[in-house]
Short mmCIF file of all heavy atoms in Angstrom, two decimals:
data_model
loop_
_atom_site.label_atom_id
_atom_site.label_comp_id
_atom_site.label_asym_id
_atom_site.label_seq_id
_atom_site.Cartn_x
_atom_site.Cartn_y
_atom_site.Cartn_z
N ALA A 439 -25.92 -7.53 -0.05
CA ALA A 439 -26.87 -8.35 -0.80
C ALA A 439 -28.15 -8.60 -0.01
O ALA A 439 -29.00 -9.38 -0.43
CB ALA A 439 -26.22 -9.69 -1.17
N ASP A 440 -28.30 -7.94 1.14
CA ASP A 440 -29.45 -8.20 2.01
C ASP A 440 -30.49 -7.08 2.00
O ASP A 440 -31.38 -7.05 2.85
CB ASP A 440 -28.97 -8.44 3.45
CG ASP A 440 -28.38 -7.18 4.08
OD1 ASP A 440 -28.10 -6.21 3.34
OD2 ASP A 440 -28.19 -7.17 5.32
N GLY A 441 -30.38 -6.17 1.05
CA GLY A 441 -31.36 -5.09 0.96
C GLY A 441 -31.11 -3.93 1.91
O GLY A 441 -32.00 -3.12 2.14
N SER A 442 -29.91 -3.83 2.45
CA SER A 442 -29.60 -2.76 3.40
C SER A 442 -29.83 -1.38 2.79
O SER A 442 -30.43 -0.49 3.41
CB SER A 442 -28.15 -2.88 3.88
OG SER A 442 -27.96 -4.03 4.66
N ALA A 443 -29.34 -1.19 1.58
CA ALA A 443 -29.46 0.12 0.94
C ALA A 443 -30.92 0.49 0.71
O ALA A 443 -31.33 1.63 0.94
CB ALA A 443 -28.68 0.13 -0.37
N ASP A 444 -31.73 -0.46 0.25
CA ASP A 444 -33.15 -0.19 0.02
C ASP A 444 -33.84 0.15 1.34
O ASP A 444 -34.72 1.03 1.38
CB ASP A 444 -33.82 -1.41 -0.62
CG ASP A 444 -33.32 -1.66 -2.03
OD1 ASP A 444 -32.82 -0.71 -2.66
OD2 ASP A 444 -33.42 -2.81 -2.50
N MET A 445 -33.47 -0.55 2.41
CA MET A 445 -34.06 -0.26 3.72
C MET A 445 -33.76 1.17 4.15
O MET A 445 -34.65 1.90 4.62
CB MET A 445 -33.54 -1.26 4.75
CG MET A 445 -34.11 -1.09 6.15
SD MET A 445 -33.21 0.14 7.16
CE MET A 445 -31.62 -0.67 7.34
N VAL A 446 -32.51 1.59 4.00
CA VAL A 446 -32.13 2.94 4.40
C VAL A 446 -32.91 3.97 3.58
O VAL A 446 -33.45 4.95 4.13
CB VAL A 446 -30.61 3.15 4.24
CG1 VAL A 446 -30.24 4.61 4.47
CG2 VAL A 446 -29.85 2.25 5.20
N ALA A 447 -32.97 3.76 2.27
CA ALA A 447 -33.67 4.72 1.40
C ALA A 447 -35.14 4.83 1.76
O ALA A 447 -35.73 5.92 1.72
CB ALA A 447 -33.49 4.31 -0.06
N ALA A 448 -35.76 3.70 2.12
CA ALA A 448 -37.20 3.69 2.39
C ALA A 448 -37.54 4.20 3.79
O ALA A 448 -38.53 4.92 3.98
CB ALA A 448 -37.74 2.28 2.20
N GLU A 449 -36.73 3.84 4.79
CA GLU A 449 -37.10 4.11 6.17
C GLU A 449 -36.38 5.31 6.79
O GLU A 449 -36.84 5.86 7.80
CB GLU A 449 -36.83 2.87 7.02
CG GLU A 449 -37.61 1.64 6.58
CD GLU A 449 -37.32 0.42 7.44
OE1 GLU A 449 -36.91 0.60 8.61
OE2 GLU A 449 -37.49 -0.71 6.95
N PHE A 450 -35.26 5.72 6.20
CA PHE A 450 -34.49 6.83 6.78
C PHE A 450 -34.13 7.82 5.67
O PHE A 450 -32.96 7.95 5.29
CB PHE A 450 -33.23 6.29 7.46
CG PHE A 450 -33.50 5.30 8.55
CD1 PHE A 450 -33.48 3.94 8.29
CD2 PHE A 450 -33.80 5.72 9.83
CE1 PHE A 450 -33.74 3.01 9.29
CE2 PHE A 450 -34.05 4.81 10.85
CZ PHE A 450 -34.03 3.45 10.58
N PRO A 451 -35.12 8.51 5.13
CA PRO A 451 -34.86 9.40 3.99
C PRO A 451 -33.95 10.57 4.32
O PRO A 451 -33.42 11.22 3.41
CB PRO A 451 -36.27 9.89 3.61
CG PRO A 451 -37.09 9.70 4.86
CD PRO A 451 -36.53 8.49 5.53
N TRP A 452 -33.74 10.88 5.60
CA TRP A 452 -32.85 11.97 6.00
C TRP A 452 -31.37 11.59 5.92
O TRP A 452 -30.50 12.44 6.08
CB TRP A 452 -33.18 12.42 7.41
CG TRP A 452 -33.34 11.29 8.39
CD1 TRP A 452 -34.48 10.60 8.65
CD2 TRP A 452 -32.32 10.71 9.21
NE1 TRP A 452 -34.25 9.61 9.58
CE2 TRP A 452 -32.93 9.66 9.95
CE3 TRP A 452 -30.97 10.96 9.41
CZ2 TRP A 452 -32.22 8.88 10.86
CZ3 TRP A 452 -30.26 10.18 10.31
CH2 TRP A 452 -30.88 9.15 11.03
N VAL A 453 -31.11 10.32 5.67
CA VAL A 453 -29.73 9.84 5.59
C VAL A 453 -29.19 10.05 4.17
O VAL A 453 -29.90 9.81 3.19
CB VAL A 453 -29.66 8.34 5.95
CG1 VAL A 453 -28.30 7.75 5.58
CG2 VAL A 453 -29.93 8.14 7.44
N HIS A 454 -27.94 10.48 4.07
CA HIS A 454 -27.26 10.56 2.78
C HIS A 454 -26.72 9.16 2.45
O HIS A 454 -25.73 8.72 3.04
CB HIS A 454 -26.11 11.56 2.82
CG HIS A 454 -26.52 12.95 3.16
ND1 HIS A 454 -27.22 13.76 2.30
CD2 HIS A 454 -26.33 13.69 4.28
CE1 HIS A 454 -27.44 14.93 2.85
NE2 HIS A 454 -26.92 14.92 4.07
N LEU A 455 -27.37 8.47 1.54
CA LEU A 455 -27.01 7.10 1.21
C LEU A 455 -26.01 7.09 0.06
O LEU A 455 -26.25 7.70 -0.99
CB LEU A 455 -28.26 6.30 0.82
CG LEU A 455 -28.04 4.86 0.36
CD1 LEU A 455 -27.44 4.02 1.49
CD2 LEU A 455 -29.34 4.25 -0.13
N ILE A 456 -24.88 6.39 0.26
CA ILE A 456 -23.86 6.24 -0.78
C ILE A 456 -23.74 4.75 -1.08
O ILE A 456 -23.07 4.02 -0.34
CB ILE A 456 -22.50 6.81 -0.34
CG1 ILE A 456 -22.64 8.27 0.08
CG2 ILE A 456 -21.47 6.66 -1.46
CD1 ILE A 456 -21.36 8.86 0.65
N PRO A 457 -24.38 4.24 -2.14
CA PRO A 457 -24.27 2.82 -2.47
C PRO A 457 -23.00 2.55 -3.29
O PRO A 457 -22.88 2.99 -4.43
CB PRO A 457 -25.53 2.54 -3.28
CG PRO A 457 -25.88 3.87 -3.90
CD PRO A 457 -25.33 4.95 -3.01
N SER A 458 -22.04 1.85 -2.70
CA SER A 458 -20.83 1.50 -3.43
C SER A 458 -21.11 0.25 -4.26
O SER A 458 -21.69 -0.72 -3.75
CB SER A 458 -19.68 1.22 -2.46
OG SER A 458 -18.55 0.73 -3.15
N PRO A 459 -20.72 0.23 -5.54
CA PRO A 459 -21.00 -0.94 -6.37
C PRO A 459 -20.15 -2.15 -6.04
O PRO A 459 -20.35 -3.22 -6.59
CB PRO A 459 -20.69 -0.44 -7.79
CG PRO A 459 -19.70 0.65 -7.58
CD PRO A 459 -20.06 1.31 -6.29
N HIS A 460 -19.19 -2.00 -5.14
CA HIS A 460 -18.38 -3.15 -4.73
C HIS A 460 -17.96 -2.97 -3.28
O HIS A 460 -18.04 -1.87 -2.73
CB HIS A 460 -17.15 -3.30 -5.63
CG HIS A 460 -15.98 -2.45 -5.22
ND1 HIS A 460 -16.07 -1.07 -5.15
CD2 HIS A 460 -14.72 -2.77 -4.84
CE1 HIS A 460 -14.89 -0.59 -4.76
NE2 HIS A 460 -14.06 -1.59 -4.55
N ASN A 461 -17.55 -4.05 -2.66
CA ASN A 461 -17.07 -3.99 -1.28
C ASN A 461 -15.60 -3.63 -1.30
O ASN A 461 -14.73 -4.49 -1.42
CB ASN A 461 -17.29 -5.34 -0.58
CG ASN A 461 -16.88 -5.28 0.89
OD1 ASN A 461 -16.45 -4.25 1.40
ND2 ASN A 461 -17.01 -6.40 1.56
N GLY A 462 -15.32 -2.35 -1.19
CA GLY A 462 -13.94 -1.89 -1.24
C GLY A 462 -13.23 -1.89 0.09
O GLY A 462 -12.08 -1.49 0.17
N GLY A 463 -13.92 -2.35 1.13
CA GLY A 463 -13.30 -2.37 2.45
C GLY A 463 -13.78 -1.21 3.31
O GLY A 463 -14.42 -0.26 2.85
N TYR A 464 -13.46 -1.29 4.59
CA TYR A 464 -13.94 -0.32 5.57
C TYR A 464 -13.32 1.06 5.35
O TYR A 464 -14.02 2.07 5.35
CB TYR A 464 -13.62 -0.84 6.97
CG TYR A 464 -14.12 0.03 8.09
CD1 TYR A 464 -15.46 0.03 8.46
CD2 TYR A 464 -13.26 0.86 8.80
CE1 TYR A 464 -15.93 0.84 9.49
CE2 TYR A 464 -13.72 1.67 9.84
CZ TYR A 464 -15.06 1.64 10.17
OH TYR A 464 -15.51 2.44 11.19
N ALA A 465 -12.02 1.12 5.17
CA ALA A 465 -11.36 2.42 4.97
C ALA A 465 -11.84 3.09 3.68
O ALA A 465 -12.13 4.29 3.66
CB ALA A 465 -9.85 2.24 4.96
N TYR A 466 -11.90 2.31 2.62
CA TYR A 466 -12.36 2.84 1.33
C TYR A 466 -13.75 3.44 1.45
O TYR A 466 -14.01 4.56 0.99
CB TYR A 466 -12.34 1.72 0.29
CG TYR A 466 -13.23 1.94 -0.90
CD1 TYR A 466 -12.82 2.76 -1.95
CD2 TYR A 466 -14.49 1.35 -0.98
CE1 TYR A 466 -13.64 2.97 -3.05
CE2 TYR A 466 -15.32 1.56 -2.07
CZ TYR A 466 -14.89 2.37 -3.10
OH TYR A 466 -15.71 2.58 -4.18
N ALA A 467 -14.67 2.71 2.08
CA ALA A 467 -16.05 3.17 2.18
C ALA A 467 -16.15 4.41 3.06
O ALA A 467 -16.88 5.35 2.74
CB ALA A 467 -16.93 2.05 2.71
N ASN A 468 -15.45 4.42 4.19
CA ASN A 468 -15.46 5.60 5.04
C ASN A 468 -14.96 6.82 4.29
O ASN A 468 -15.51 7.92 4.43
CB ASN A 468 -14.61 5.36 6.28
CG ASN A 468 -15.41 4.78 7.43
OD1 ASN A 468 -16.29 5.42 7.99
ND2 ASN A 468 -15.11 3.54 7.78
N ASN A 469 -13.90 6.64 3.51
CA ASN A 469 -13.34 7.78 2.78
C ASN A 469 -14.32 8.35 1.76
O ASN A 469 -14.30 9.56 1.48
CB ASN A 469 -12.03 7.37 2.10
CG ASN A 469 -10.88 7.25 3.07
OD1 ASN A 469 -10.97 7.69 4.21
ND2 ASN A 469 -9.79 6.64 2.63
N LEU A 470 -15.16 7.49 1.16
CA LEU A 470 -16.16 8.01 0.23
C LEU A 470 -17.03 9.06 0.91
O LEU A 470 -17.36 10.09 0.32
CB LEU A 470 -17.04 6.86 -0.28
CG LEU A 470 -16.40 5.85 -1.23
CD1 LEU A 470 -17.43 4.78 -1.62
CD2 LEU A 470 -15.84 6.52 -2.48
N ALA A 471 -17.42 8.79 2.16
CA ALA A 471 -18.26 9.74 2.89
C ALA A 471 -17.45 10.89 3.47
O ALA A 471 -17.90 12.04 3.48
CB ALA A 471 -19.01 9.01 4.00
N LEU A 472 -16.23 10.59 3.94
CA LEU A 472 -15.42 11.64 4.56
C LEU A 472 -15.12 12.77 3.60
O LEU A 472 -15.03 13.93 4.00
CB LEU A 472 -14.12 11.04 5.09
CG LEU A 472 -14.25 10.17 6.35
CD1 LEU A 472 -12.94 9.47 6.67
CD2 LEU A 472 -14.69 11.02 7.54
N ARG A 473 -14.96 12.45 2.32
CA ARG A 473 -14.69 13.50 1.34
C ARG A 473 -15.87 14.43 1.15
O ARG A 473 -15.72 15.54 0.65
CB ARG A 473 -14.29 12.86 0.01
CG ARG A 473 -12.98 12.09 0.07
CD ARG A 473 -12.55 11.59 -1.32
NE ARG A 473 -11.34 10.82 -1.21
CZ ARG A 473 -11.27 9.49 -1.25
NH1 ARG A 473 -12.38 8.78 -1.40
NH2 ARG A 473 -10.12 8.85 -1.14
N LEU A 474 -17.06 13.98 1.54
CA LEU A 474 -18.26 14.80 1.41
C LEU A 474 -18.67 15.43 2.74
O LEU A 474 -19.57 16.27 2.77
CB LEU A 474 -19.42 13.95 0.88
CG LEU A 474 -19.18 13.23 -0.45
CD1 LEU A 474 -20.37 12.32 -0.77
CD2 LEU A 474 -18.96 14.23 -1.57
N ALA A 475 -18.04 14.99 3.83
CA ALA A 475 -18.47 15.41 5.16
C ALA A 475 -18.20 16.89 5.39
O ALA A 475 -17.11 17.39 5.12
CB ALA A 475 -17.76 14.57 6.23
N GLY A 476 -19.20 17.58 5.95
CA GLY A 476 -19.05 19.00 6.23
C GLY A 476 -19.05 19.34 7.70
O GLY A 476 -19.18 20.51 8.07
N GLY A 477 -18.90 18.34 8.57
CA GLY A 477 -18.97 18.57 10.01
C GLY A 477 -17.68 19.09 10.61
O GLY A 477 -16.58 18.73 10.17
#
Side-chain angles (χ1 to χ4, degrees):
D440 67 347
S442 293
D444 293 337
M445 182 275 294
V446 172
E449 300 180 25
F450 302 95
W452 47 272
V453 168
H454 300 289
L455 177 63
I456 304 175
S458 173
H460 84 301
N461 183 1
Y464 183 77
Y466 158 80
N468 270 294
N469 285 347
L470 290 179
L472 287 172
R473 294 185 183 103
L474 304 174

